[in-house]
Amino acid sequence: SDPFVPGLASFLLAHLFYITAFSSGGVGLSLGALAPFLVVVVVMYGVLAPHLGKMRVPVLLYEIVIIIMAWRAWAFAQTGGTGTLLALTGALLFVLSDSALAVDRFVKPFKAVHVVVLGTYYCAQWLIALSI
């Protein structure tokens, strides 16, 4: 009855589509640029892991996919243009939104969660949509 897992799966699929879209410009992968994104995954997973229980693997998989999406958006932004910067900003806001949601759900609920999560989520989607 908990819609979290199906929601996680559907957002994971959406991020796979974003990865494909952000990879379509023929931009090469810079492994050096991956380092800051990996730091985000390690720190976030370190915060979440003690609280995840049976959700450890699904959440880690989701974190890896969303951070690859942000990394690809960064690579996409290297091609220049306003649209690519909008996509990158949207991708980073998506990471922020999902991180706030994860902290609220697994670590410690906080009062402003809906404002933070939905505000960053809708801005992220809007910016990514404007990028095309």
Side-chain angles (χ1 to χ4, degrees):
S1 65
D2 183 5
F4 184 77
V5 173
L8 188 72
S10 65
F11 275 87
L12 185 131
L13 181 61
H15 291 306
L16 292 173
F17 285 119
Y18 281 137
I19 289 168
T20 302
F22 297 147
S23 300
S24 65
V27 180
L29 296 173
S30 168
L31 294 178
L34 181 59
F37 294 99
L38 289 177
V39 169
V40 171
V41 168
V42 169
V43 169
M44 197 62 199
Y45 194 72
V47 169
L48 296 174
H51 310 280
L52 292 175
K54 66 180 181 177
M55 291 298 294
R56 280 185 172 196
V57 172
V59 169
L60 179 59
L61 177 63
Y62 185 85
E63 281 190 21
I64 290 168
V65 169
I66 194 170
I67 217 66
I68 290 171
M69 183 270 302
W71 175 48
R72 290 307 304 151
W74 176 87
F76 182 59
Q78 303 314 300
T79 64
T82 304
T84 62
L85 292 176
L86 292 173
L88 174 60
T89 304
L92 295 175
L93 284 172
F94 220 138
V95 171
L96 180 60
S97 174
D98 284 356
S99 297
L101 178 66
V103 168
D104 178 73
R105 179 170 179 95
F106 296 112
V107 179
K108 184 176 191 283
F110 60 98
K111 290 182 182 181
V113 67
H114 296 299
V115 172
V116 173
V117 170
L118 293 178
T120 53
Y121 169 77
Y122 286 120
C123 285
Q125 294 289 20
W126 181 63
L127 291 170
I128 292 170
L130 285 176
S131 73
I132 56 171

